[in-house]
Amino acid sequence: MIRVLIADDQEMVRMGFRMILDAQDDIEVVADVPDGVSAVAKARELRPDVCLLDIRMPGLDGLEVTRQLAGPGAADPLKVVVVTTFDLDEYVHTALQNGASGFLLKDAGPALLIEAVRAADRGDALVSPQITVRLLKHFNSGNATKREAPAPSEPLTAREMDVVKAAAQGLTNTEIGAELFLSLSTVKTHLASVQGKIGARNRGEIAAWAWRSGIVD
């Protein structure tokens, strides 16, 4: 079972997400909380497989909760999917930089919510399709705060570059494998290798690195 924690300040949203997720044979909601402080405490207590976090919550917002649970300072990071009403580039940028495994809009629908949970659990990332490319481009745009992309510790292979480009377009591991005629395990191996070479914590950071590096445009 994929154990999920939900954090949202709106009770109706928490109830709705719980009903959708608990109806799945492979997902169990272990807690739902109304604020960021409770989210951090419950997540550290229960160690869920995936945390679904709203951004605008009392106490601590979802971006800070993400940093504490999944960021570079987290000793044993958890999988986090940010689910929000607000389609703002800076939110996505900060969420991914803070270690989020995915970013979903609340109007994306039940199917994408379920898939985002399953994707995070298996190490994939899912970003709402309608915003994927625009938001990733933001990392390389004049509207974003410029950050130099770190140089790899060693050059990426041609196949690793192909996988990075596909990930930067928002493709899942399964879609990358189909497009490049690679097995799922080979895609995961390439992504793990790239993470090590560029110091990324997840595939969201790989995508951001690709845009900032100019590998995709």
Side-chain angles (χ1 to χ4, degrees):
M1 295 289 283
I2 303 171
R3 300 169 66 251
V4 177
L5 177 144
I6 301 168
D8 195 293
D9 62 343
Q10 297 182 53
E11 184 177 2
M12 291 296 291
V13 171
R14 298 197 308 275
M15 289 176 58
F17 285 178
R18 179 183 278 274
M19 288 177 62
I20 292 167
L21 297 175
D22 275 342
Q24 308 307 306
D25 294 336
D26 59 337
I27 299 175
E28 175 190 10
V29 176
V30 294
D32 65 79
V33 296
D35 61 79
V37 175
S38 300
V40 172
K42 273 295 183 184
R44 288 175 174 168
E45 174 192 346
L46 299 175
R47 302 292 304 172
D49 299 304
V50 180
C51 300
L52 290 178
L53 305 179
D54 187 21
I55 288 183
R56 296 188 179 180
M57 294 187 292
L60 296 173
D61 67 29
L63 299 177
E64 175 59 21
V65 175
T66 299
R67 187 190 67 78
Q68 292 191 25
L69 297 180
D76 191 7
L78 295 169
K79 305 286 182 59
V80 170
V81 176
V82 173
V83 187
T84 182
T85 306
F86 305 100
D87 178 7
L88 299 178
D89 290 352
E90 284 301 325
Y91 282 169
V92 183
H93 179 239
T94 303
L96 295 179
Q97 289 294 322
N98 285 0
S101 299
F103 192 99
L104 201 63
L105 296 180
K106 287 182 180 177
D107 62 1
L112 274 178
L113 177 68
I114 295 164
E115 179 53 30
V117 169
R118 289 172 175 158
D121 180 63
R122 65 176 179 257
D124 266 347
L126 191 150
V127 179
S128 286
Q130 67 266 43
I131 57 175
T132 298
V133 174
R134 175 177 63 79
L135 292 171
L136 290 173
K137 281 183 177 181
H138 182 71
F139 290 119
N140 199 39
S141 74
N143 297 324
T145 302
K146 287 293 184 180
R147 300 182 183 178
E148 291 297 323
S153 58
E154 59 181 285
L156 273 61
T157 67
R159 213 50 170 157
E160 287 171 349
M161 290 290 283
D162 290 339
V163 171
V164 166
K165 290 175 182 177
Q169 297 291 344
L171 273 64
T172 67
N173 288 355
T174 301
E175 291 168 338
I176 292 172
E179 181 166 298
L180 300 179
F181 303 101
L182 300 173
S183 69
L184 186 59
S185 62
T186 300
V187 173
K188 291 181 177 179
T189 298
H190 285 317
L191 287 172
S193 176
V194 172
Q195 282 183 224
K197 290 180 178 180
I198 68 173
R201 298 188 303 275
N202 53 51
R203 56 180 290 133
E205 289 191 359
I206 291 176
W209 176 85
W211 285 100
R212 293 203 304 270
S213 300
I215 291 172
V216 289
D217 54 33

